[in-house]
Amino acid sequence: MTVAGLRQSGHRSRTTKGESMMFLTLEDLSGMLDVVLFPDAYRRSKEVIHSSAPLLVTGVVEIDASRGEPLLRAERVVRLS
């Protein structure tokens, strides 16, 4: 799935191996979507994610079992502008 939107919030976290990863919330005209970037995707996208430009995020949609809501596991993030 590919979605476009603006980053509304985000926070870094660490895996059990100590690698950086990121959780962020994207907003578009239809609502908000939680996105997770595991270490490889985070390393490739670090500069793009921290900009204020609109983002195009491609990944796999999963259901967050604890909340029952969709979550996009990002594989690729690019700046739209």
Side-chain angles (χ1 to χ4, degrees), residues 18-30:
E19 297 177 284
S20 292
M21 59 182 290
M22 182 151 203
F23 295 92
L24 58 93
T25 301
L26 274 188
E27 182 175 22
D28 66 7
L29 295 175
S30 63

Side-chain angles (χ1 to χ4, degrees), residues 3-75:
V3 295
L6 293 172
R7 176 185 163 189
Q8 292 302 312
S9 64
H11 70 277
R12 284 186 298 174
S13 186
R14 295 220 178 256
T15 66
T16 54
K17 293 181 180 178
E19 297 177 284
S20 292
M21 59 182 290
M22 182 151 203
F23 295 92
L24 58 93
T25 301
L26 274 188
E27 182 175 22
D28 66 7
L29 295 175
S30 63
M32 293 194 199
L33 178 64
D34 290 327
V35 178
V36 61
L37 289 99
F38 288 109
D40 288 339
Y42 179 66
R43 276 191 294 275
R44 290 190 307 265
S45 309
K46 192 184 295 188
E47 291 181 29
V48 174
I49 294 167
H50 295 293
S51 74
S52 60
L55 303 174
L56 189 65
V57 182
T58 302
V60 176
V61 174
E62 300 174 351
I63 299 297
D64 181 337
S66 64
R67 297 181 314 153
E69 298 200 9
L71 172 74
L72 182 60
R73 184 171 34 91
E75 296 172 349

